[in-house]
Amino acid sequence: AQTVTQSQPEMSVQEAETVTLSCTYDTSESDYYLFWYKQPPSRQMILVIRQEAYKQQNATENRFSVNFQKAAKSFSLKISDSQLGDAAMYFCAYRSGGSSGSRLTFGEGTQLTVNP
Amino acid sequence: GAVVSQHPSRVICKSGTSVKIECRSLDFQATTMFWYRQFPKQSLMLMATSNEGSKATYEQGVEKDKFLINHASLTLSTLTVTSAHPEDSSFYICSARVGREQRDTQYFGPGTRLTVL
C-alpha cells in the first residue's frame, strides 16, 4: 500500500517570504499522480497543484511550484511571495495511475501560518 | 474549476436518529464520487467510493450498514448515517471525479459538520 508522509506538522513564514513544505511517499508503482491540496479555515479542500509522475518537469502554478524528485520519492511544495491568504492546512496526496487509480492517499497535513 | 456542493453544511441530531448528507456536482457529471471523514486536526480518511448505478465500495473498517451510500445519478450521491451516535460526530467531505479517466482530478465539496448529541 502506498503511504504519504508530511514530517512538518506546523510551519510559519513571514508575509512576502518563501516557504517550502515537505512530502515523501512510498510506492512501488511507476505510474502515479501527486497533488497538493489546501484546506483553509473554511474546511473547503482546494487543489493547489498537480504533478504526473511521468513528467520530469516540475509543475508550476503562479506562486506555487513543486520540486519532484522521483528517485527520492519526494514532492515538496514551494510557496513564493507568501500572502496572508495562504494560511491553511496543506495536504500532500498520492493517486495511483493504474486500474485502482481513483482513490487519493493523503499525508497528515502541514499547518501553515503566515505572519504579517 | 468544477463545483461540488454539499447539503447540509451543518447538522445536529439526537443519538439514534438517521442523517442524510447530499453531495452534488453542479456543472459536470461525476461517474465516481468519494466520501471522506475528517476528525479535528487530522487528515482525510476515505470511507467509500461510489460509482453511479452500482454499489459503493467501502474501505476496511467502515460499516456499510451504518454508512449507507447511494449514487442514483451522475450528479448526486448521498451518505446516510443510520442510528447515529456521538462517536459519529465528525466532518464529512465528498469529492467527485471529473470525467471517466482514472487520471482525472477530484474536486471536493465544502463538507458537512455532523454533531450527534
Side-chain angles (χ1 to χ4, degrees), chain A residues 41-100:
Chain A
S42 67
R43 307 291 293 271
Q44 171 76 60
M45 294 286 283
I46 301 167
L47 177 64
V48 175
I49 201 164
R50 157 192 171 133
Q51 174 82 43
E52 291 87 346
Y54 64 85
K55 290 187 177 179
Q56 292 188 339
Q57 186 172 6
N58 290 323
T60 300
E61 288 287 342
N62 301 313
R63 297 182 295 106
F64 299 88
S65 62
V66 297
N67 184 3
F68 174 46
Q69 300 289 327
K70 192 171 183 178
K73 297 179 182 174
S74 170
F75 183 61
S76 61
L77 174 70
K78 185 171 83 171
I79 307 175
S80 305
D81 185 24
S82 297
Q83 300 175 0
L84 295 177
D86 295 333
M89 179 73 88
Y90 285 81
F91 291 100
C92 178
Y94 171 103
R95 193 178 82 212
S96 171
S99 59
S100 62

Side-chain angles (χ1 to χ4, degrees), chain A residues 4-9 11 19-25 36 67 73-78 90-92 107-110:
Chain A
V4 178
T5 303
Q6 293 178 248
S7 58
Q8 306 154 315
M11 291 284 284
V19 65
T20 299
L21 308 184
S22 300
C23 173
T24 58
Y25 58 95
W36 278 97
N67 184 3
K73 297 179 182 174
S74 170
F75 183 61
S76 61
L77 174 70
K78 185 171 83 171
Y90 285 81
F91 291 100
C92 178
E108 306 91 332
T110 297

Side-chain angles (χ1 to χ4, degrees), chain B residues 6-57:
Chain B
Q6 273 184 249
H7 178 80
S9 56
R10 290 174 179 264
V11 58
I12 301 172
C13 68
K14 293 183 179 179
S15 186
T17 61
S18 294
V19 174
K20 180 183 283 189
I21 302 170
E22 292 186 348
C23 177
R24 293 183 185 272
S25 56
L26 298 186
D27 51 1
F28 66 98
Q29 293 183 332
T31 54
T32 305
M33 288 185 171
F34 306 84
W35 287 95
Y36 296 85
R37 185 173 181 176
Q38 186 181 31
F39 290 105
K41 298 189 184 299
Q42 293 189 21
S43 189
L44 281 72
M45 290 176 47
L46 180 65
M47 299 175 66
T49 301
S50 169
N51 291 299
E52 186 265 338
S54 62
K55 290 185 178 180
T57 302

